[in-house]
Amino acid sequence: KQEVTQIPAALSVPEGENLVLNCSFTDSAIYNLQWFRQDPGKGLTSLLLIQSSQREQTSGRLNASLDKSSGRSTLYIAASQPGDSATYLCAVRSANTGANSKLTFGKGITLSVRP
Amino acid sequence: DAGVIQSPRHEVTEMGQEVTLRCKPISGHNSLFWYRQTMMRGLELLIYFNNNVPIDDSGMPEDRFSAKMPNASFSTLKIQPSEPRDSAVYFCASSRGQGYQPQHFGDGTRLSIL
């Protein structure tokens, strides 16, 4: 059974800092990995999707990397801003026959960027 | 384009009542997913449909939960009878295809069972 872990559960940093959010998963047989952002009282917004054949994806100040063999992904946020404050969730799509669309989520990292 | 639309946004009802949650996926998306989010368990997949057909309902907690997708633009998740432990935020998501495209989420229904 796939398990996704995100540690720490919460993080507080001063504005302007570059930061790395970590995600680990137990089963390396995946189709892809997706990073989401969730604001309080809102749904999830997809940030980046990395296919299993890719090593990284970039969007603006965000860069996500994937090391499938070691079961790890990182989300790098450059020059953090107070508007980046949210919960960041990592989700893995496992390559299980008959359930190839199932996303397994970590519990998220709640980020607070202090002005 | 409109995103995934869920209704109602909030629902408060008494134990034993029937609850129906609704979802309209993004037009052109042929996969639809129902999730439940709680503090204790995080986000859990309940069921997903592809081309209106249920593919995996192994996450549905028990027979009190049922989901339908009568057409490509509408799905319901029903709880009957409801119990306090069903209180959670229920999300609907849709995607184009089954596995290689990102899922897009609605804003959720916050359900409180008293």
Side-chain angles (χ1 to χ4, degrees):
Chain A
K1 178 186 173 186
Q2 179 74 269
E3 293 183 3
V4 180
T5 303
Q6 293 183 256
I7 296 173
L11 189 61
S12 180
V13 300
E15 181 177 4
E17 195 164 294
N18 300 324
L19 55 100
V20 173
L21 307 182
N22 294 307
C23 171
S24 61
F25 47 95
T26 55
D27 184 353
S28 61
I30 66 170
Y31 277 126
N32 52 43
L33 181 146
Q34 197 167 354
W35 281 94
F36 293 88
R37 168 183 173 140
Q38 185 175 27
D39 292 287
K42 293 289 189 181
L44 280 67
T45 300
S46 179
L47 297 174
L48 290 164
L49 173 70
I50 312 177
Q51 304 294 350
S52 62
S53 59
Q54 298 174 321
R55 296 287 300 211
E56 64 179 309
Q57 281 285 328
T58 298
S59 175
R61 292 182 296 109
L62 305 179
N63 175 276
S65 67
L66 174 64
D67 184 343
K68 201 172 65 165
S69 60
S70 67
R72 292 181 183 177
S73 176
T74 61
L75 179 67
Y76 175 83
I77 304 176
S80 58
Q81 303 170 357
D84 295 330
S85 299
T87 297
Y88 291 82
L89 295 99
C90 163
V92 169
R93 181 172 282 109
S94 296
N96 295 321
T97 302
N100 64 0
S101 244
K102 182 167 183 173
L103 275 178
T104 303
F105 282 83
K107 291 196 173 178
I109 298 173
T110 300
L111 173 66
S112 174
V113 181
R114 307 187 300 272
Chain B
D1 284 341
V4 175
I5 299 172
Q6 291 186 247
S7 63
R9 288 297 314 278
H10 304 274
E11 174 92 12
V12 181
T13 192
E14 293 187 344
M15 182 175 70
Q17 297 296 307
E18 177 179 291
V19 173
T20 300
L21 311 181
R22 296 173 177 80
C23 175
K24 177 179 170 55
I26 293 172
S27 178
H29 285 191
N30 61 346
S31 291
L32 183 139
F33 310 82
W34 282 101
Y35 292 90
R36 178 171 67 177
Q37 186 177 40
T38 61
M39 289 291 292
M40 287 294 293
R41 301 171 68 93
L43 259 170
E44 301 172 289
L45 177 68
L46 299 176
I47 185 171
Y48 83 88
F49 296 83
N50 182 249
N51 294 325
N52 310 340
V53 177
I55 302 300
D56 182 357
D57 65 355
S58 59
M60 296 286 263
E62 48 198 272
D63 292 346
R64 297 184 298 106
F65 285 69
S66 63
K68 293 182 180 179
M69 192 164 186
N71 57 61
S73 59
F74 183 66
S75 177
T76 59
L77 177 68
K78 187 172 293 187
I79 309 173
Q80 166 64 18
S82 57
E83 297 182 3
R85 60 193 168 115
D86 302 330
S87 298
V89 182
Y90 291 80
F91 288 103
C92 176
S94 70
S95 72
R96 198 183 299 275
Q98 287 199 69
Y100 295 97
Q101 300 298 321
Q103 294 184 14
H104 299 268
F105 281 68
D107 283 342
T109 295
R110 185 172 296 276
L111 177 65
S112 297
I113 308 296
L114 306 176

